Amino acid sequence: MNVQALRSEVQRPSAARTWAIIFLIAGLLVILAYFTIGLFRASTAGAYWAQPKAVRDAAQPGSALLGSLRFLQSTNAWLEPFKFTGLALIISGIAISFGVAILGALRQRLRITGEALQEFMGKGGT
Amino acid sequence: MPDGRLMLEPSDQRMYGFVRSAWAPLIVVGLLIVLFSLGYGIYTSTLVADYFSNSKAVREAAGPGSQIVNQQVFFESTFAWLPGFKFFGMGLLFAGIVAALAIIILTLKGSGAQIQQMMGAEVRAMPRPLISRAYPWLAILGLLILAVAFGVSIYQAVVAASYWNNSIANTLDPAPAGSQFLAQLSTIESIEAWNVPLKFVGIATLLTSISFALFTIQSVLRGQSMRLLEMVEARGKKPAA
């Protein structure tokens, strides 16, 4: 059993783990950006809907009120897929962790356990 | 053969006892909440269909106490609280997954200690990386965020019920600037704008907890591989008896 070779194999940084971390951080950043935009939208929505209906309906092109409505409606259209992109990135990281990183570590651990048992039984059993 | 669970540190033994009893109820309650939300959503949709079978003029002229206004009060308030409740149910499901992963981590740790003892080596606890301490707290934080979001949804539903319990044509549409009705409408819309992202922050926190638990499993497996190699090396250095 080549202990040194196995040791360096175990210590080698896992590319799958690195990718899982990258996906997790990217997903979290997207969700935090979504939350920040949500706070901004909340103040805009609060100000817009505090106006009487007659004033909202009479807003002219170029007015601040119509600008607020345009902002609220247009952000709504892209924020929906944006937030799911964030979740999808985090879940992709989880899938990589499950399917590649943990599976690799488990295989390695089982192989080393098998070899260690052989070593122990070979030396102690005779 | 020694019991692996008894070889865990006292804090890990307490955690094992908790997650072992908590994972199934978390998943069952989470699933029941999501299914209840589905049933309630289907019931609400029948009321919405009934409401929109009336003409716009009739709907907007209806006054407080009428069936049409009562229907609108019911479904507008449901639209406010039901998503918060559904997300909380999802949160419980994710927390159940974290608890199940914690069982795997603690079982792996216990079996690692067991193997060391069976091979006659000194039983050494694996170093605990920060992520292995953080994942249970992140799961609790995620659930708390979703509980707060649900609480805010209930408040939003109360405001929505009060706002919509009026005639649209006679009271809500002509409401002057600074009136109670416009303040309520402004509150409903602004809460909607930030509370939905807050629910996603809660879900993302729980998913991060799952990721951290998976990184911990990987670290435990690698740590055990290293310990096995150490044990083999130490045995090789021993003088033959």
Side-chain angles (χ1 to χ4, degrees), chain B residues 35 69 188 212 224:
Chain B
L35 290 175
V69 166
I188 295 165
F212 278 22
Q224 289 183 347

Side-chain angles (χ1 to χ4, degrees), chain B residues 18-28 92-93 95-100 103:
Chain B
F18 175 72
V19 290
R20 187 74 203 221
S21 57
W23 78 273
L26 282 170
I27 287 179
V28 169
L92 289 176
L93 280 170
I97 293 174
V98 174
I103 294 173

Side-chain angles (χ1 to χ4, degrees), chain A residues 98-116:
Chain A
F98 255 129
V100 187
I102 289 182
L103 191 65
L106 189 62
R107 279 190 184 137
Q108 206 171 46
R109 154 89 193 307
L110 291 174
R111 189 156 61 90
I112 291 171
T113 306
E115 292 200 24

Side-chain angles (χ1 to χ4, degrees), chain A residues 4 7 10-12 17 28 34 38 42 46 49-50 52-53 87 90 94 97 101-102 109 113 117 120 124, chain B residues 115 119 173 177 182 185-186 189-190 193 196-197 200 207-208 211 214-215 218 222 224-226 228-229 233 235:
Chain A
Q4 281 311 317
R7 190 191 291 270
V10 174
Q11 284 174 331
R12 193 179 307 140
R17 188 186 169 100
L28 283 176
Y34 169 56
W49 293 103
K53 188 175 190 298
L87 287 188
I90 299 174
I94 290 174
S97 279
I102 289 182
R109 154 89 193 307
T113 306
L117 278 174
F120 271 68
Chain B
I115 288 175
M119 289 184 163
D173 281 356
L182 285 179
L185 180 61
S186 169
E189 294 295 336
S190 61
V196 176
F200 275 79
L207 288 174
T208 305
S211 293
L214 294 174
F215 293 149
Q218 205 192 346
R222 290 177 76 164
Q224 289 183 347
S225 295
M226 288 300 288
L228 278 167
L229 291 172
E233 213 167 32
R235 192 178 168 88

